[in-house]
Amino acid sequence: MLVEIKNVALEIVGAVVSKNRVPIEERLGNLIPEKRISRLKKQVGFEAFSIVEKNICTSDLCFAAAEKIFAEKNISRQEIGAIIFVSQSPDYFFPSTAHILQNKLQLPRNVAAFDVGLGCSGFVYGLYIASSILQNLPAEKILLLCGDTATRSVFFDDISGLSVFGDAGTAAIISKAEGEKIFFNLQSFGELSDGIILRRGAYRNPLIVENNALNVRENFAVMDGAKVLDFSIKYVPQNLSELMNFAKINPAEVGNFFLHQANKMILQDIAFNLNLPVEKFPFKSEKIGNTSSASIPVTLSEMKHRAENFNTLSVMSGFGVGMSIASAVIDLKKLICLPTEEM
């Protein structure tokens, strides 16, 4: 779905990760030889992973990111017309985590609050949803919270998961902005839904208990690495080409392609298939990991932390679980970004 939304802008972004960074050698040391770990580290690009303590949830990370924005950027809570929580690791089945955060953040009762159960494509999807409903709200701003504690969905001997996933939470302010516009391209590939799937724990398939324990392989996420790779390098370049044609921009005009930090090799392959320099595809999560819907805001916050330029005409693309792709052409020249925080 190609769509243009006018008079909206991404105003502020902030990200929070764990102060606990676990090296890939520690994650995989008991499972595969050292030489294989070294090769795998070069392929995926991840050296260490943000892994939160057991008592910290995704909502805690997002709460901290939002509070930082309110405290440092003089945003009034009364200006917020909606709070959207995008995650696949909510606090509870119900109520929605957005309502819990509405209370914790002391937002007014007249805000809309809801959860969106998306992963890798979640930030751009959230940006689309926020931009869409902002057109019909009396309020000037929407608070978008995205993140996951994805490391908790990985079984203890799952090399494919242990070598990529990290934990993070983010906050963003989407605002009404006269004359600004964002172009989107959203696509769904439900026939590939088993590419990344956690089959048990909801209502279709309950958790398995063996020997009075839940630590059973089937209770954790499964990722078909080959299917995810093929999907990413085939369909993401097509999606981005369609989007840039729709927005009538030349790829040479784009300063940065902020892609979901699936892994370094996938970003390089997408750049190659688009015939674009890999330097335009920032990979900044080498010491954080693939943080699902948080990964694009984390990339921006890491660039701010490293004093690198992110204020350009940009393309964003989240892709993965669903399978799904959500991309956007967006001008970030006025974006305010907070450096990455730890908790």
Side-chain angles (χ1 to χ4, degrees), residues 12 34 117 155 167 188 214 250 256 277 285 297 300-301 305 321 337:
I12 306 173
E34 185 177 336
F155 197 53
D167 303 327
S188 302
L214 295 170
N250 189 308
N256 286 297
S285 295
L300 289 163
S301 287
H305 178 72
V321 65
C337 191

Side-chain angles (χ1 to χ4, degrees), residues 28-29 37 50 54 76 102 109 114 118 154 173 209 212 220-221 244 270 302 316 327 330:
L28 300 176
I37 294 175
S50 162
K54 289 183 179 180
S76 169
Q102 173 261 331
R109 286 181 176 174
F114 57 92
L118 282 167
V154 180
I173 299 290
V209 179
N212 295 319
F220 292 83
M244 288 185 284
I270 292 172
E302 278 295 289
M316 296 178 175
S327 304
I330 183 169

Side-chain angles (χ1 to χ4, degrees), residues 1-299:
M1 178 178 69
L2 291 160
V3 62
E4 174 187 359
I5 301 181
K6 297 179 179 179
N7 301 320
V8 293
L10 178 60
E11 182 182 354
I12 306 173
V13 166
V16 174
V17 300
S18 176
K19 61 185 177 182
N20 182 37
R21 309 292 177 94
V22 180
I24 190 170
E25 291 83 2
E26 185 176 330
R27 293 276 274 167
L28 300 176
N30 295 327
L31 299 173
I32 55 176
E34 185 177 336
K35 286 186 178 180
R36 187 179 168 195
I37 294 175
S38 180
R39 290 196 303 270
L40 188 59
K41 182 162 69 170
K42 290 179 181 178
Q43 289 175 345
V44 298
F46 297 121
E47 302 168 11
F49 304 94
S50 162
I51 301 179
V52 296
E53 301 295 336
K54 289 183 179 180
N55 64 324
I56 294 177
C57 294
T58 303
S59 65
D60 299 318
L61 299 168
C62 292
F63 172 81
E67 282 292 285
K68 190 78 171 174
I69 288 175
F70 287 128
E72 293 193 5
K73 296 305 172 184
N74 197 30
I75 299 293
S76 169
R77 296 168 203 260
Q78 301 304 313
E79 293 181 276
I80 304 299
I83 175 173
I84 305 171
F85 179 72
V86 181
S87 180
Q88 296 187 317
S89 45
D91 286 6
Y92 312 103
F93 275 126
F94 51 84
S96 76
T97 305
H99 285 88
I100 293 168
L101 286 166
Q102 173 261 331
N103 176 57
K104 286 183 66 177
L105 289 165
Q106 299 179 1
L107 298 178
R109 286 181 176 174
N110 63 345
V111 302
F114 57 92
D115 291 1
V116 178
L118 282 167
C120 314
S121 61
F123 178 72
V124 181
Y125 253 107
L127 181 60
Y128 167 72
I129 295 167
S131 300
S132 299
I133 66 176
L134 193 57
Q135 310 294 310
N136 297 304
L137 283 179
E140 293 294 314
K141 303 178 189 297
I142 288 178
L143 176 62
L144 174 64
L145 306 175
C146 297
D148 266 311
T149 46
T151 59
R152 291 174 178 163
S153 299
V154 180
F155 197 53
F156 72 88
D157 68 352
D158 179 5
I159 296 169
S160 64
L162 292 171
S163 62
V164 296
F165 290 121
D167 303 327
T170 65
I173 299 290
I174 294 88
S175 304
K176 291 179 179 177
E178 190 69 28
E180 300 289 336
K181 54 189 174 183
I182 308 175
F183 299 90
F184 293 94
N185 191 8
L186 310 179
Q187 291 182 296
S188 302
F189 302 80
E191 71 277 12
L192 302 175
S193 60
D194 62 349
I196 309 172
I197 189 168
L198 203 170
R199 287 188 170 88
R200 294 193 172 274
Y203 293 108
R204 176 68 61 185
N205 298 304
L207 292 170
I208 295 175
V209 179
E210 287 186 3
N211 299 320
N212 295 319
L214 295 170
N215 197 24
V216 179
R217 182 69 186 85
E218 286 189 53
N219 290 337
F220 292 83
V222 176
M223 179 169 64
D224 185 333
K227 182 175 283 190
V228 172
L229 176 63
D230 290 346
F231 165 80
S232 302
I233 64 178
K234 178 179 180 180
Y235 292 113
V236 175
Q238 292 176 14
N239 177 283
L240 295 180
S241 295
E242 290 174 2
L243 174 62
M244 288 185 284
N245 287 335
F246 176 68
K248 297 180 180 176
I249 63 166
N250 189 308
E253 300 175 60
V254 178
N256 286 297
F257 288 80
F258 293 109
L259 269 57
H260 166 56
Q261 308 278 281
N263 67 49
K264 190 173 185 177
M265 181 177 67
I266 286 178
L267 267 62
Q268 291 173 338
D269 287 343
I270 292 172
F272 177 80
N273 287 350
L274 285 167
N275 196 28
L276 291 171
V278 71
E279 292 76 20
K280 285 194 172 189
F281 293 73
F283 183 78
K284 303 298 176 181
S285 295
E286 61 268 26
K287 289 180 168 56
I288 298 172
N290 172 341
T291 54
S292 188
S293 62
S295 74
I296 293 175
V298 165
T299 302

